[in-house]
């Protein structure tokens, strides 16, 4: 049986950490689909045409540090281009269905990429909490930024991601909401695993 877990939600909600932990728990491969858009965004910042970059997407494009503010914004801009999204669909769907399944996280996994996923989670938190978590991640990596800058980035991307015409960030009908505003990351991981196990039984 192919067992697919779709994890969607707004920027910096903890999807990445939760997805990685869920994948390890269920022994499944994990794909952070945001990295695909970040890779295309990084190529756009370097002067490439985003549609061409998406059409020529290669796994090797992910072998660089893509988790920076300017790349996140560029990712959100290229992610609104229908041709860019179309070029990345089959890679994601092949990943989701190979072998015994997979955990994918992003914005449109439960709605567009894997509408038949066995479990769909929508991980969210207040903008304030998300900005604080992202600030901690970035400063932990030695990136010089501040709360206000990160909050503006998070809010701007949420708006663009939710308002675009193609595959906007939206709650799938059958998704379960996990609001992690008042949870530690360990508690959020435990809650996600409990939801998935309940769904499987
Ligand atoms: O980690 P964070 O939540 O900040 O962002 P990400 O998941 O790395 O995604 C970066 C950007 O890629 C998002 O703001 C979206 O614009 C875009 N994205 C998307 O459109 N669809 C996906 N499945 C994943 C990401």
């Amino acid at each position: 049986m192919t067992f697919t877990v779709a994890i969607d939600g707004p920027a910096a909600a903890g999807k990445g950490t939760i997805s990685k932990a869920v994948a390890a728990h269920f022994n499944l491969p994990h794909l952070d689909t945001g990295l695909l858009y970040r890779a295309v965004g990084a190529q756009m910042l370097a002067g490439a045409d985003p549609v061409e970059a998406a059409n020529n997407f290669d796994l090797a494009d992910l072998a660089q540090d893509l988790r920076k503010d300017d790349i996140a914004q560029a990712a959100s801009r290229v992610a609104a281009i229908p041709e860019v999204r179309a070029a990345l669909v089959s890679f994601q769907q092949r990943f989701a269905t190979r072998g015994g399944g997979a955990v994918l996280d992003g914005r449109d996994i439960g709605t567009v990429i894997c509408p038949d996923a066995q479990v769909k989670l929508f991980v969210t938190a207040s903008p304030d909490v998300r900005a604080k978590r992202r600030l901690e991640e970035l400063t932990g990596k030695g990136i010089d930024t501040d709360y206000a800058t990160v909050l503006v980035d998070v809010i701007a991307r949420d708006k663009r991601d939710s308002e675009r015409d193609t595959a906007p960030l939206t709650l799938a009908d059958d998704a379960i909401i996990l609001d992690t505003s008042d949870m530690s990351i360990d508690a959020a991981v435990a809650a996600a695993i409990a939801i998935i196990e309940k769904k499987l039984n």
Side-chain angles (χ1 to χ4, degrees), residues 12 15 33 38 67 85 107-108 134 157 161 164:
K15 302 179 300 294
T33 65
R38 284 173 182 261
R67 303 201 59 81
R85 305 200 71 84
R107 303 290 185 288
D108 62 340
R134 181 52 47 91
R157 281 198 290 135
D161 292 348
R164 69 183 174 222

Side-chain angles (χ1 to χ4, degrees), residues 17-37:
T17 310
I18 292 173
S19 302
K20 248 182 250 148
V22 163
H25 182 85
F26 292 99
N27 200 18
L28 292 169
H30 166 230
L31 179 65
D32 172 355
T33 65
L35 287 180
L36 276 54
Y37 295 94

Side-chain angles (χ1 to χ4, degrees), residues 134-153:
R134 181 52 47 91
L135 179 63
E136 206 174 304
E137 178 193 335
L138 294 173
T139 50
K141 287 193 336 189
I143 294 175
D144 182 23
T145 185
D146 55 55
Y147 173 80
T149 306
V150 176
L151 183 65
V152 166
D153 166 67

Side-chain angles (χ1 to χ4, degrees), residues 7-16 32-38 66-67 71-80 85 92 105-109 113 130 134 137 153-154 156-158 160-162 164 166-169:
I7 302 186
D8 291 302
K15 302 179 300 294
D32 172 355
T33 65
L35 287 180
L36 276 54
Y37 295 94
R38 284 173 182 261
L66 296 165
R67 303 201 59 81
I71 296 180
Q73 281 292 341
S76 167
R77 293 211 303 279
V78 300
R85 305 200 71 84
Q92 297 173 78
D105 76 278
R107 303 290 185 288
D108 62 340
I109 307 304
I113 302 296
R130 291 188 282 123
R134 181 52 47 91
E137 178 193 335
D153 166 67
V154 159
R157 281 198 290 135
D158 285 354
R160 200 183 290 121
D161 292 348
S162 309
R164 69 183 174 222
T166 310
L169 169 66

Side-chain angles (χ1 to χ4, degrees), residues 9-197:
K15 302 179 300 294
T17 310
I18 292 173
S19 302
K20 248 182 250 148
V22 163
H25 182 85
F26 292 99
N27 200 18
L28 292 169
H30 166 230
L31 179 65
D32 172 355
T33 65
L35 287 180
L36 276 54
Y37 295 94
R38 284 173 182 261
V40 174
Q43 291 205 36
M44 181 183 75
L45 291 178
D49 172 63
V51 176
E52 213 167 289
N55 278 323
N56 295 316
F57 171 76
D58 188 276
L59 260 189
D61 296 343
L62 305 185
Q64 54 179 312
D65 188 7
L66 296 165
R67 303 201 59 81
K68 299 175 184 150
D69 277 350
D70 57 337
I71 296 180
Q73 281 292 341
S76 167
R77 293 211 303 279
V78 300
I81 304 171
E83 293 85 353
V84 166
R85 305 200 71 84
L88 298 174
V89 166
S90 74
F91 176 85
Q92 297 173 78
Q93 289 181 335
R94 269 186 279 124
F95 189 97
T97 52
R98 67 187 188 160
V103 178
L104 282 80
D105 76 278
R107 303 290 185 288
D108 62 340
I109 307 304
T111 50
V112 174
I113 302 296
C114 304
D116 298 327
Q118 275 69 27
V119 187
K120 298 180 187 178
L121 286 182
F122 192 88
V123 178
T124 188
S126 69
D128 172 57
V129 167
R130 291 188 282 123
K132 282 180 182 149
R133 286 185 190 153
R134 181 52 47 91
L135 179 63
E136 206 174 304
E137 178 193 335
L138 294 173
T139 50
K141 287 193 336 189
I143 294 175
D144 182 23
T145 185
D146 55 55
Y147 173 80
T149 306
V150 176
L151 183 65
V152 166
D153 166 67
V154 159
I155 291 173
R157 281 198 290 135
D158 285 354
K159 181 168 160 55
R160 200 183 290 121
D161 292 348
S162 309
E163 292 181 355
R164 69 183 174 222
D165 291 332
T166 310
L169 169 66
T170 180
L171 184 69
D173 289 342
D174 47 353
I176 297 164
I177 298 174
L178 179 59
D179 187 333
T180 67
S181 300
D182 299 319
M183 290 180 185
S184 67
I185 205 67
D186 286 349
V189 167
I193 290 172
I195 291 171
I196 296 166
E197 275 173 348

